[in-house]
Structure formats: C-alpha cells, structure tokens
Amino acid sequence: MSSKRMLALLGASSMLLSLVPGFAFAQAPAEKTLQKLDLSAEQVKDPVEISALWAQNVGKADHVLVTTDAVFADSLASGALQGVLKAPLLFVDAKAGLDNQTMKTITALGASKVTVLGGDQAISAGLVQALQKIPGVKTVDRVSGESRVETSVAIAEKIGAKDGTVIVARADDYADSLAAGALAARTNYPVLLSVNPYKGANGDMVNLHPALEAYLKNAKIKKVIVAGGPSVVAEDTVKAISTIVSDTTRVAGETRRETAVALAKLWNSTGKVTVVDGFATTNGFHNGFAAALSAANLGAPIVLANKEQQLSEGEQALIGPAATGVTGYCGTYVNASICNAVAEKQGAKVTQSVLNNAEASKRIQVSPENVANLISDGKTAANRQYQVDGVEAGKQYTIKLAKAKRDEKGNVVLDLGTDGKPQDTMTQAAVSVVNGATSPSANNVKVQPVGERIVFSVEVNGMANYGYVLPLITTVDGEQEKIVGQGGAVIVTPPQLPNGEFLQSITKKELDWNVVAVNKAEKFLIIESEGMQRTLVFKARDLFYAGSVREDRRIDLETFLKRVGPGDTIGAKSGSDDIYNTLYYQSPLLASTIVFKNLAPVPPLVTQLRGDIPTPHSLKLRVSQFVNGADLTIKVAKIDGMGVDYDTDPTKFKITKTFTAVKPAEGGWADLVIDGLEPDSLYDFAVAQTVGEETSVYGDFGSPDKNVIGTDLLQTSKQYTPLSITRVDRTEDPINDGTSYMPPNALQATGNAMFKITLDTDKFDGGTIYPELISVKATSGGVVRPRPQDSTSHSLNNDQSVLNPVGYDKVGAAGAGESKVFYLQLFTPLKDADPDVEYVLTFEPRAIVSKDGSMESGPATYRFNY
C-alpha cells in the first residue's frame, strides 16, 4: 500500500511506461514551432470560440462532446471521454441557445455523433433538438448523473477503466482536474470526483461519496491516482479509498501549479507542454478542459501558468530542447512573455493560430453573413440578396424565413423557442428566388439549385412590423429536415417618425404612443399607436433625465435604454418627480420635452409575516402583488435613526437579495427570508419584480407616515451568546452540590468529556437546544455533529433527559440543575494517555433559542485541548 506516498518533488520515471499508451505521430517538420492560440479580431472572446479554436487542432472528428460554459461541474471528468472517443469538448451558452460557431465547428469536424455532458438544467432538451438538426449529425446522446460525482461515475461506466486504473480529483474546484484531464485523455484513465467529507443519507459525514465507493468496488479498480494534496483530497478520504484499492498513490505539489507539474511528469518525455491560465476567473476552466484532447494527441501535458508570474522551477524542468515539430500550445489569455519563455527554452518559434471560420463553413456557404437593416416605409421595396454556394445540383432545398433574436451578448441568433425548433417569423417579409424556385410562398420557398448555387432575396414591400428575420437553408435527410446553412439576419424596421410629426401627434393628443421594442445595439425604439409602428432614433446630442429635468438627474443613453421597455407610454405633459417611474427625453430638434412613463410590472407589496418572531440574523417578509414566476429583488437598508429620508435616497439600501422564479402561494403571496442581518437592528425594505426583460420600480422605500416598527420598519431580535463554557470532566464539583460530578482522569477507554455552558439570562429556561447546529472539529480534520436518536431538538427544562449520541465523536446534552445551565457531552475514542488534540466547539446561529423565539445563542467558538 502506498496511500501516503507523495510525488510532488520526486521524479516519476517508474510510472512512465505503465501510464503512457502507444501513440503514432506523423514525422515532425524540421522547424520547431510553438502554437499560440488566439481568437480573430471579429470574434467574441468567449468559451464557445475558445473551445472551437482547440477543436480546430484536432482536424477531423466523428464524435464531439458538448457541455455548458456556465459552470465547470460537467467538464471536470471529460478528459478520458475525450481520449477514448477522440472527441473534442465544445462549450455552448445554454441560455443564448446554439451558437452559429458551434454548428460550423461540428460541421467542419465532420462529426456525426454528439454526446452531451450534464442534465436538462445544464443542456436543455431544446438545445439537444437543435444539435440533432446540424447537418451530418446522426445521433445525440447524454451522459449525466444527479450530481457532478455521479456524472463522473457515469462517464467511467461508459468508457471503462483502462488497466483497472482511475484518477480521483476534488469535485469542488477545477484546478487539479485541468492537468488530470489531459492525463486522462492521454491514458484513457477516467477521472472520478471526490467530495470530502460527504453528508450521507442519514446525515452523518462520511469520507467517501457512496457513488464513488460503489464504483470502485463494482468495477474492481486495481489502481487509484489521487490528484492533489491533503487539503483538496483529505487523507481520511485516501485512507477510505485504500481500504478498497490497495494500490493508491497521491500525486501532488504544494500548489496547483506544482500538482500539474507532478502529473505531467507521469507522461512527459518529450519536453512538449500545453500552457493554460490556471488562475483566471473569467476563462479559468474553459481553456484547460477544451485543450485536453489536443494536449493528449500532441503528447504535451498541461501546465497552469499565472499571468502575473514567470514559469516556476518545476515548469521549466518539464520544458526541454528535445521537443520537435510542434512543441506545444499556449492557450488564449496566456501572457505573451510566458509563451515566449517556453519557446525560447525549446528553441522554437511562436506561431499564431486563429479561429478559421472559412474552413468551418466550407460545405455550404451563405453570403452575406452580417446583419442588415430593411426599412419598411410602404413606398419603396426594400430587399437584400443572398448567394448560397456548395449546394448539390438537382437536390431540393427549402428557404425559410425564421424568427431571430439578440442573445445576452448582443449577437443575432436563431430563436429556437421552448420546443427547440425554428419559429416562424411574424414580420411581413417574403423570399424571392432568382434561380431554382419551384414552389414560392410568403416566407417558405422550395428550391432546386442551378449548378451548385442558389440566389435569392428577402423583400419587404409594405408597412411591416418590427422584427428580426433569419433566412435558413434546409434539406431533408432521411425523414428529418435539417438546417444546412443560414444567411445574415435582417432587421425589419418601420420608417422613422419625423420629429415634428412625432411632437405634434403627442402635444395635440392625436395619437397615444406606446413602446413595443427597444433595440439597444442600434439605439432606437419601436413605438406604436393604433396598430401603426414607427422608429424613434436617438442621437448622441440628445439629453435624458430621470425623475425631473435637472442637471443632477441626467442619465446617459445606455441607462435610458435599460429603463425603457415594452408597455411604457409616451406623452408631452408633465410627469412625476419619481426617478423610477418617469424618464424625460430632450432633442435639439424638438420644441418640447417628451415624457416616458414606466408601465413595467407593478411594484410588489412587502410586509412582515404576522405572528412571525424575528431572529437576530433574519426576518421573514411576506411579498404579494407579483407575477407568478417573476424574479423578486429585495433591497434592505439598516436604519441608524428615525426620520431619515429613505424614501428619496435608494442608495442607502446597501443589501440586495434576489429570489428567482418565485411562485406565489394560493393566496397570491410568498414568504421570503432575508438573512445576514445584524441583531437588535432596525431595517427598511423595498421590493421590485422582473418579468422577462422588464423590471418594476421598487415599492415602499419607507414613506414618512409609515416609519413605525412592525409595519414599515422591521427589527431583528437581540442575540445572546453563552456567558461561559468550561470543561468539567475533571472538575470536583461542577454543579455546586458538594458531590463530584465526574472523577479525575475521566477520559477512560470509552473516551468522553463534559462541558458546562452557562447562559446569561433565565429567559432560556424552557427554550430549545438544536444539537445539529453545534459541531466539534478536531485539528486533525473532520467535522462531527450531534445526531440524537429521538429528535433534532431537545428541551432545556430542569427535568430534561440525557441525549443519547450515536457512535463516537458526537455531541449531546446532559445533566440537570439551574435552567440557565446545561451540559454537552463529547464522546471521543481518545484515551487520557493519548497525545493532546485540540477540539474546536462551534455554536451556529440558533443553536439555542429562547422559549418565545426572541433570543438565541451564537455564533460562538471555543477551543479545548485533550
């Protein structure tokens, strides 16, 4: 057994032959080159393009993996799956939908199979359906589990453990899995995840996740490589693994960088390296996980650079002049000086590798690809011509006009709707085909190309409503219709309303105008009156105000566009002085100020739940008058004295709590708990709701006539901590009755110790102790919590019974005496002759609560040596 063996600073040559499988590579070119990956200037620098760039290194792949870019959970164990399936990992923005770049990358790779990592919350069923529509894709399957640990087990079960060997890494961070993932892609050893300690089904803290334990046993694993030191994979966890798998080896360094070096030593014999930024907060895991297959194919293990530092001694030792041909990669965002230092050590030249969109979309190309605007003024026909190249002569295609939208990054993307399918556009536009038309209709035209080309145009001939239109080229593959290309979107925009006509229509009240859409990218509004839509365009010289036309109320255009939304009304008469309800617009071309009145969702009502007793750290609020499924944002301000102007100064509301997708109870209200407050303090609250893109104004900032505790201003209760806590297992007379409570040297074979806790008020008489909120932690690690057999809470009355702990290292209450005195008994395997161990006794908030609920103990921490 070698469970405690550390390979941080040692060579690992004894493991090289056993770890590295045979890989065949083409003869290297004479010139040494280190490829620095970069995104072309016109690309959005996000994980979608980062993963596409790494996939480009693979060339061709029949299989790809797809997962979310939002969290790293489902990427942690992807390395071995990449290696076994020869499938690069692609990130998608699940909120925005399937990106054009992802579709192009899958097409360019020639992939026919897609495996989705993660459950429905990470990758929706609609997104899976969109993946199925990509040209050439025949199958889409999913690998997932109830948690990231179960997902890693599911991956291991799917591919099997080569040589009976697995890698175990921490589940709560990505650093060690970056390097371990590349090793896994190289060796095909699955990466399994560990949570330590883990709260078991009965509430006990266990050292090994049940799913991991079951897999190690059922798969008859022979060897485990633990990635990372005791601070990330606890020694108790490694010991638990060692009871199942005798050959258990820890590979670690003092830092994440040195752990990566230690893992790299297991398979680096060429001096090649892949450098990624292992510390970045915005792209920290994306480069590393997406690089796994490229690194494995090249034989260049991953090292984790820090852009603020130079290469470490361990990293420099890995880099050798023996590296030939392509000597490695530098990921995006890696500091240029670090990349140059690697190349210099290898005697290599740094070459730039950029995302190649032309290669990705060469099967069928549709031009133009950019977004354009078509004005529907009802007078002159507006159209845009497209050319489709690479289609098959004689094959039937369909040109459709689909609904599009802007995603969170401002890109125009296909609107797949809730069913994951392209949505018919409601905007009045039509397709006119120059060649190949066989069955034209309003926005759906069947085409047989002339040669290998289709030429068509999108036309707006009348007064059309505002909207994004995306031309799609589809064909039938078997029984399924698939999208094989798409052109650049057009924005169908109503004609601009002349300023004079606009002002006259408002001031004479000839028409009532409402906002129907906001285009933040192009900086205009679509307004409507009596079914007629017009465009209101803003200029750089225009002025905008909130609440009133005063210099101190000036806001910029960006802020104005964020505040204006569908449903807002427009007028020329005076508005209110409410900065949340009224906006003002002035233009040099107008003779009057235009008022925008916010008609967003109504502000919800917030009150204290009647009969609820506040705690020192939280208050329960009842929120009503909101839409089912809305996001509720509550602002909280601590009141330092009565009579302050909180109604006019929302900046004093320092605490913000957001509750997403809130569903009202049958009575139309929801009870929300605001925690993190200070004891015995006065607070004011205001709440707003967000429905879609519209956010209401904040309701009730504390009007002067409501500054009354219990209605508008709410107060937390007082907090009491234990007055004293002493260890009494060696005390002659702990309860002052003249009798020794416990003899000296009480730590016997069973191992137990007694603590006396004295509270500073009799109000705790008749109160409740919650043992699960009291914990004991030994300096050697591991947390033990009280788990009484009969219930989770016990009375503090004088006639209280002794709590019965379950097993060792538990906390219970014992003893009798005064109402403000009680005892905790610690059961421990220690004997009196054992070396001293420090125990930390911690009371969490509400560990002890008074009879009426108005007072509580904690938080408090005490240390004792045994």
Side-chain angles (χ1 to χ4, degrees), residues 486-499:
Q486 66 181 47
V490 296
I491 309 174
V492 178
T493 305
Q496 183 172 347
L497 185 65
N499 283 327

Side-chain angles (χ1 to χ4, degrees), residues 508-707:
K508 292 185 178 181
K509 298 182 181 180
E510 295 175 350
L511 296 172
D512 294 322
W513 293 95
N514 298 308
V515 178
V516 296
V518 180
N519 190 312
K520 297 177 183 177
E522 279 76 29
K523 298 180 175 55
F524 62 76
L525 301 180
I526 301 299
I527 58 177
E528 184 179 62
S529 183
E530 298 181 358
M532 178 178 63
Q533 291 190 355
R534 293 290 185 266
T535 304
L536 180 59
V537 181
F538 299 109
K539 306 297 183 182
R541 56 187 174 178
D542 294 341
L543 301 177
F544 306 92
Y545 303 87
S548 61
V549 183
R550 297 190 337 226
E551 191 60 30
D552 62 336
R553 295 290 180 88
R554 276 273 301 273
I555 57 175
D556 56 25
L557 176 57
E558 182 179 356
T559 302
F560 176 82
L561 292 173
K562 287 180 179 179
R563 298 277 299 276
V564 175
D568 290 353
T569 60
I570 306 172
K573 63 181 180 180
S574 299
S576 69
D577 195 42
D578 188 335
I579 63 173
Y580 289 93
N581 280 308
T582 311
L583 300 173
Y584 294 88
Y585 160 54
Q586 286 185 340
S587 170
L589 301 178
L590 298 177
S592 178
T593 299
I594 307 304
V595 182
F596 287 80
K597 293 186 177 180
N598 194 325
L599 289 184
V602 297
L605 180 66
V606 55
T607 59
Q608 185 180 26
L609 179 62
R610 287 188 177 182
D612 180 68
I613 299 175
T615 76
H617 302 283
S618 66
L619 287 164
K620 185 179 289 186
L621 306 178
R622 174 156 290 183
V623 180
S624 57
Q625 201 171 281
F626 66 93
V627 176
N628 185 1
D631 295 343
L632 298 181
T633 302
I634 299 178
K635 286 187 174 292
V636 187
K638 183 180 177 183
I639 307 298
D640 297 321
M642 303 297 288
V644 291
D645 267 345
Y646 281 86
D647 57 319
T648 58
D649 190 356
T651 62
K652 295 181 180 179
F653 287 69
K654 302 294 185 182
I655 303 173
T656 300
K657 301 283 186 179
T658 299
F659 302 84
T660 59
V662 181
K663 296 182 179 180
E666 196 169 318
W669 42 261
D671 292 334
L672 305 175
V673 175
I674 306 297
D675 52 16
L677 306 179
E678 298 179 14
D680 198 18
S681 298
L682 196 63
Y683 289 93
D684 191 18
F685 300 87
V687 63
Q689 65 171 318
T690 301
V691 182
E693 295 185 356
E694 276 289 285
T695 300
S696 72
V697 299
Y698 279 90
D700 186 12
F701 274 105
S703 54
D705 59 334
K706 290 185 178 180
N707 281 343

Side-chain angles (χ1 to χ4, degrees), residues 153 156-157 160-167 189-190 192 211-224 241-248:
V153 169
E157 291 174 341
K162 185 178 179 182
D163 301 330
T165 302
V166 298
I167 302 168
Y189 298 162
L192 296 166
L212 175 57
E213 181 179 15
Y215 174 80
L216 294 176
K217 292 177 179 178
N218 297 336
K220 298 180 180 179
I221 298 302
K222 300 176 182 178
K223 184 174 186 177
V224 173
I241 293 174
S242 299
T243 63
I244 304 171
V245 183
S246 59
D247 190 355
T248 301

